[in-house]
Amino acid sequence: MTTDTPSASPVRASGNNVDAPTSVAAPREHFASRLGFILISAGCAIGLGNVWRFPYIAGEYGGAAFILMYLIFLVILGLPVMVMEFAVGRASQRSAAQAFDILQPSRRWHWFSWWAYIGCMLLMMFYTTVCGWMLAYMAKMATGTFDGLDPDGVAGVFGTMLANPSEMVGWMLAVVVIGFFVCSLGLQKGVERITKVMMIALLGVMALLVVRSVTLPGAAEGLEFYLVPDFGKMFAGGLSGFGDAVYAAMGQAFFTLSLGISAMEVFGSRIGKQNSLTGEALRICGLDTAVAILAGLIIFPACFAFAVAPDQGPSLVFVTLPNVFNQMPLGQLWGTLFFVFMSFAALSTIIAVFENLITFTMEKWDLDRKRALARTAVLVTVLSLPCALGFNVLAGITIPGIGDIQSIEDFIVSNNLLPLGSLLYVVFCVSRKGWGWDNFLAEADAGTGMKFPRWARGWLTFGLPALIIIIFIMGYVPKIMMWAGLA
């Protein structure tokens, strides 16, 4: 292993300058390589929203003009919180199950450890089902299910799948089995080794798809729509339209990294102090952004080449793109490769969050990996059933303004746990009642590489919390207006 062995000396890092518990921590397994840490962290961040949300809103709000604004918010909003999660993990050398007690021994933040467990579990309750859709479509595309179908027929395949409880549960179970099998092999031999292969394959498949898409006849119009800066689109609706664009960029920069539920914190606990955390977080944010931008280079040229409207959301992936592949020479091959890429993107997140839940369980209840994995696998399987059945057997369970079970679970995580959890991480790292600014900065800057800007303390203390609160409130505004009958 290239990383340091955890120190046997107690951690001295509380916000009140009080020593942490003096018990000696057991040696902790670290990633075998720096590349493994970067690719696994990026794999956790790279999700399906990179594919079915980012390209669409980028094109809608001005292409490269929107991307520039998104990058600004990524640096001032997403990057600091990611560094904080990594710092908490690396300083404590523990998952969220114990990290806050180690860094703040007064146990004032003890309750926050459960935020991570609940958040990651809720995320898996619907993400296992959505990942199952990707595996299903990879198989359907490879076996020629869409051959000869018109647009209504393609749409019907998705609807038929959702209405079939045995198919939905079957693919969800396949995802659970794959994810926990990888985790059962251990951190280095399973999670790290297999995720590295998947991420490298993902980038290779994306490169092939980009080349195919941008060389299609008529692709130039799609590239222009996506990449040529058009500030007029930002102001098409006046100040209100510009406000929508700003909120879209702010929200995408925030949610794309899945911050606030300690999904990244556990990876920080698996690395040594050779490299500063700001530089590592920048690399991960850059890789996440590159995948999102490349997804647009696949989608827009292909859609414009065949005069198909690039919809947003699941309909883009499961209805629009299969129609595009049906019209494309060797479309079955390119469609299969696309869903291989989508499956790898989803599975990388599944494996990373499963590892987070298993590590939490091991540390919270002092279990070995085998028992922690079994307990977690049973919980994830049982709790994933409502979402898998929420499109058929339990289709009547909805909340006005939010939607079905999958949408409800997504709303709880994305609109509540992520922003509020991120806010709490900021408070923990800058407040004297938490870990404290000096302790955070020392940990973030340990090692070689880019240092965290000391002058940013004011922004993190006042500006960043205000921005997160705005994101949280704006997520509720359309719901409240609908519930009040104003929309």
Side-chain angles (χ1 to χ4, degrees), residues 409-425:
E409 293 171 349
D410 189 4
F411 178 77
I412 294 172
V413 174
S414 298
N415 291 67
N416 296 273
L417 297 181
L418 295 184
L420 294 179
S422 296
L423 177 62
L424 289 166
Y425 259 104

Side-chain angles (χ1 to χ4, degrees), residues 48-82:
L48 302 176
N50 292 65
V51 179
W52 68 38
R53 185 171 186 268
F54 178 84
Y56 181 87
I57 60 174
E60 183 180 11
Y61 289 116
F66 173 87
I67 292 173
L68 177 61
M69 185 162 57
Y70 159 78
L71 291 174
I72 292 171
F73 281 118
L74 189 70
V75 171
I76 68 173
L77 178 59
L79 180 68
V81 180
M82 177 177 281

Side-chain angles (χ1 to χ4, degrees), residues 122-131 387 406 409-410 413:
L122 269 166
L123 177 63
M124 291 299 96
M125 284 168 61
F126 66 88
Y127 212 86
T128 49
T129 293
V130 178
C131 183
C387 181
Q406 186 262 330
E409 293 171 349
D410 189 4
V413 174

Side-chain angles (χ1 to χ4, degrees), residues 9-25:
S9 62
V11 178
R12 303 174 62 92
S14 78
N16 300 329
N17 295 320
V18 178
D19 290 351
T22 57
S23 60
V24 177

Side-chain angles (χ1 to χ4, degrees), residues 147 208-209 211-217 298-299 301-303 305-306 321-335 338:
D147 290 353
L208 285 174
L209 290 169
V211 172
R212 171 67 283 195
S213 186
V214 299
T215 55
L216 288 168
I298 296 169
I299 292 166
C303 286
F306 295 103
L321 290 177
N323 277 310
V324 171
F325 294 129
N326 262 358
Q327 302 177 58
M328 188 183 296
L330 297 177
Q332 185 176 343
L333 170 63
W334 298 113
F338 177 81

Side-chain angles (χ1 to χ4, degrees), residues 187-265:
L187 177 71
Q188 291 186 13
K189 294 182 179 179
V191 175
E192 181 175 1
R193 182 177 62 181
I194 293 174
T195 302
K196 280 166 67 174
V197 172
M198 282 200 308
M199 290 298 296
I200 293 169
L202 179 152
L203 295 172
V205 169
M206 287 197 80
L208 285 174
L209 290 169
V210 168
V211 172
R212 171 67 283 195
S213 186
V214 299
T215 55
L216 288 168
E221 187 179 353
L223 289 172
E224 180 181 358
F225 174 82
Y226 182 46
L227 294 179
V228 174
D230 187 350
F231 291 94
K233 287 184 180 179
M234 285 189 175
F235 295 95
L239 288 178
S240 175
F242 179 71
D244 291 341
V246 170
Y247 178 67
M250 192 164 54
Q252 181 66 25
F254 183 76
F255 295 120
T256 186
L257 301 175
S258 296
L259 301 170
I261 55 174
S262 299
M264 293 293 174
E265 187 270 354

Side-chain angles (χ1 to χ4, degrees), residues 1 48 56 87-88 104 120 140 169 178 180 183 199 207 226 234 288 325 333 363 410-411 413 423 452:
M1 292 189 348
L48 302 176
Y56 181 87
V88 168
Q104 226 295 335
C120 288
K140 292 178 189 296
V169 172
I178 292 170
F180 281 110
C183 292
M199 290 298 296
Y226 182 46
M234 285 189 175
D288 177 79
F325 294 129
L333 170 63
E363 295 176 3
D410 189 4
F411 178 77
V413 174
L423 177 62
F452 197 90

Side-chain angles (χ1 to χ4, degrees), residues 311-354:
D311 299 312
Q312 181 182 3
S315 61
L316 167 66
V317 174
F318 301 111
V319 178
T320 302
L321 290 177
N323 277 310
V324 171
F325 294 129
N326 262 358
Q327 302 177 58
M328 188 183 296
L330 297 177
Q332 185 176 343
L333 170 63
W334 298 113
T336 302
L337 286 174
F338 177 81
F339 284 104
V340 167
F341 145 59
M342 291 292 290
S343 296
F344 284 175
L347 282 170
S348 64
T349 301
I350 291 284
I351 292 168
V353 179
F354 279 3

